[in-house]
Amino acid sequence: MDKIEIEGGVRLKGEVCIGGAKNAALPLMAAAILSSGENIIKNVPGLRDVMTMGKLIAHLGCGFHFENNQALLQTKKITSADAPYDFVKTMRASVLVLGPLLARTGRAKVSLPGGCAIGARPINLHIMGLEKMGAAIVLSEGYIEAKAKRLKGAEIYFDMPTVTGTENLMMAAALADGTTILENAACEPEVVDLANALISMGAVIEGAGTSIVRIKGVNKLRPMNYTVIPDRIETATFIAASAVTNGEIRIKNSRPDNLEAVLNKMKEGGAVISEKKGKLSVKGPARLSSVDIKTMPYPGFATDMQAQFMALMSIAEGTSLITENIFENRFMHVAEMKRMGADISIEGATATVRGVKSLKGAPVMATDLRASASLILAGLAAKGTTVIDRVYHLDRGYERIEEKLRPLGAKIRRIK
Ligand code: EPZ
């Protein structure tokens, strides 16, 4: 298992280029199943999760080729409608093939994702929506077996906004008979990116990015030729890296309009952030001030940035309250940060972070994707050496992050 070693205390300086959004690329790859032909998706990040999704789509009988951040998906023929446990257990987002397979072939057999480190991750809302659209769904032996001659448009209300639930049902509705209305839909930029790609394939969708999305089903969709939006969580992670090292970096290829809540909180903490000629420039303060955050569905503060923000608050002036409202177990980075000298206590969904002068490097362990990113940030800020184990978590969501940080001055290397 690879490890990452960081010698902390360096102020980052220079320019970094952001890659394509993981959480947009994954649903876009699944959406290719709705068409029959050669789909080209550009600005796709070279991530483990992208390769896993590619292998799954190839398993369904499609062609998958990835080169120079472009994914080619030949979806002329689908020879299987099964997404086995082996794929789904390594990547929950595999469940995104459920809607497209059902819409394209009339059946789907997808392993229930099971939980993951950060929570139970149920998909009851995905299933509820598909049943409303006329699918017959049986859960047996850990699999969802869904059948529908042709899905019908329906009115679907989500008890709570679900990103992949909204995406699954939007894709299923694109080929359904009639109009589907998704209420209390997720508004994330990645949902909007998927809607824009589907519209480019011939789908009729209105309201993506708001909590009411209308999809008028069509009979056929043509293959996509689409470019993925920049990754807002990778962008926010580099903003955090500059903020926590009293650095001064410029960020290319970002979409600051997708990051309002996070940008506001970083500025409140003392980072000076401005946009010049399409680049974000981020100047970290000598010492951050404590800021409270509560994670919320978009456009609220992203849960995928909670761990990274906590790393910043661990050495800020004052005390910060960090409340995780989306997932029930997304504080596993706390124990690792405490090994580095952070002063954090957890009460239910809220962590109280008392800023300390500085962290001390230590051997730590990554537990999930965004926790690994938070430990990189902590290591960059800490005095001494930090070695992070189990960095395969990191590689799921960040493309060669150490190779992006090194040109900014970070003393960071991967130990095979
Ligand atoms: C997506 O996960 C993202 N993954 C996650 O990013 C992100 O943290 C999450 O949205 C929230 O923004 C992808 O897009 C591939 P949800 P998703 O359904 O869709 C509950 C990362 O680090 N819920 O929006 O699985 C659920 O338990 C990953 O890149 C139900 O109860 O999240 C959670 O509490 C981690 N029933 C809340 O809704 C359902 O049927 C939001 O989950 C579905 C969800």
Side-chain angles (χ1 to χ4, degrees):
M1 258 186 261
D2 289 5
K3 298 181 180 190
I4 282 196
E5 182 187 82
I6 303 173
E7 193 62 44
V10 175
R11 300 177 57 187
L12 300 185
K13 290 196 180 331
E15 188 163 291
V16 67
C17 190
I18 298 300
K22 165 177 90 83
N23 290 348
L26 296 175
L28 285 173
M29 291 169 74
I33 294 169
L34 294 167
S35 72
S36 164
E38 179 87 4
N39 292 265
I40 303 170
I41 310 177
K42 296 172 186 145
N43 196 32
V44 176
L47 302 171
R48 283 164 55 98
D49 276 9
V50 166
M51 303 313 153
T52 303
M53 182 63 90
K55 285 195 202 98
L56 170 56
I57 290 178
H59 171 83
L60 301 175
C62 304
F64 171 68
H65 180 70
F66 180 84
E67 199 172 1
N68 303 330
N69 294 109
Q70 280 204 19
L72 300 179
L73 299 129
Q74 174 43 269
T75 54
K76 210 174 265 322
K77 59 183 197 348
I78 305 268
T79 54
S80 157
D82 291 12
Y85 181 56
D86 283 358
F87 290 103
V88 182
K89 76 180 174 205
T90 51
M91 186 187 63
R92 300 179 20 66
S94 309
V95 76
L96 281 166
V97 302
L98 176 59
L101 270 178
L102 196 50
R104 167 84 187 268
T105 68
R107 66 174 293 273
K109 183 178 175 193
V110 176
S111 163
L112 276 164
C116 76
I118 62 177
R121 312 293 295 275
I123 56 167
N124 57 307
L125 299 175
H126 301 230
I127 293 169
M128 172 276 294
L130 291 173
E131 285 179 329
K132 284 240 164 110
M133 295 178 74
I137 294 188
V138 173
L139 302 186
S140 77
E141 294 160 28
Y143 277 82
I144 303 160
E145 299 209 44
K147 283 194 178 62
K149 262 179 65 53
R150 186 173 183 197
L151 292 166
K152 293 186 307 301
E155 267 206 45
I156 297 165
Y157 175 79
F158 291 116
D159 302 352
M160 63 175 72
T162 156
V163 173
T164 48
T166 301
E167 292 165 346
N168 234 335
L169 289 158
M170 191 192 280
M171 292 188 280
L175 288 179
D177 179 12
T179 297
T180 297
I181 299 176
L182 304 180
E183 292 177 46
N184 200 19
C187 305
E188 270 69 4
E190 293 76 27
V191 172
V192 176
D193 213 26
L194 174 63
N196 290 337
L198 289 169
I199 290 166
S200 78
M201 296 165 79
V204 180
I205 301 175
E206 284 165 10
T210 75
S211 54
I212 301 195
V213 184
R214 276 182 181 71
I215 306 107
K216 189 172 178 308
V218 295
N219 292 325
K220 211 167 149 26
L221 290 173
R222 52 182 176 270
M224 79 178 87
N225 183 331
Y226 194 77
T227 301
V228 179
I229 52 169
D231 193 310
R232 62 193 166 99
I233 304 302
E234 186 188 18
T235 306
T237 305
F238 277 97
I239 291 172
S242 187
V244 81
T245 60
N246 186 11
E248 185 160 4
I249 72 170
R250 288 176 312 287
I251 299 175
K252 278 171 55 179
N253 268 14
S254 71
R255 282 278 308 272
D257 55 314
N258 286 343
L259 271 173
E260 284 303 313
V262 173
L263 288 177
N264 289 341
K265 290 293 180 180
M266 294 284 183
K267 289 174 186 170
E268 215 180 305
V272 177
I273 302 173
S274 58
E275 208 178 330
K276 282 181 203 123
K277 298 196 288 298
K279 288 179 191 170
L280 262 188
S281 94
V282 182
K283 199 173 171 336
R287 188 174 187 196
L288 287 157
S289 324
S290 291
V291 174
D292 295 346
I293 61 162
K294 292 181 184 341
T295 64
M296 296 299 280
Y298 193 87
F301 192 95
T303 173
D304 290 352
M305 271 305 291
Q306 177 259 108
Q308 297 91 314
F309 199 78
M310 188 182 288
L312 273 54
M313 292 298 104
S314 71
I315 56 168
E317 175 82 47
T319 296
S320 144
L321 296 179
I322 294 184
T323 304
E324 172 55 57
N325 291 313
I326 307 293
F327 291 114
E328 63 270 29
N329 187 31
R330 203 168 198 177
F331 281 145
M332 282 170 304
H333 42 283
V334 170
E336 299 306 309
M337 287 182 193
K338 289 170 81 163
R339 292 172 47 73
M340 299 174 74
D343 178 353
I344 307 170
S345 56
I346 298 173
E347 187 78 33
T350 298
T352 302
V353 184
R354 288 175 193 77
V356 294
K357 250 352 245 127
S358 75
L359 296 177
K360 286 179 200 55
V364 291
M365 190 172 78
T367 49
D368 60 86
L369 166 54
R370 304 304 173 181
S372 346
S374 74
L375 294 174
I376 293 248
L377 295 170
L380 290 172
K383 287 190 173 25
T385 306
T386 300
V387 178
I388 303 168
D389 201 351
R390 302 195 179 179
V391 288
Y392 59 84
H393 289 293
L394 190 70
D395 298 335
R396 296 191 50 182
Y398 291 91
E399 189 174 4
R400 307 184 326 277
I401 194 167
E402 75 276 13
E403 290 173 28
K404 290 192 173 185
L405 282 165
R406 210 174 295 123
L408 299 176
K411 289 191 192 118
I412 182 170
R413 70 189 179 100
R414 183 177 288 252
I415 307 167
K416 286 281 171 206

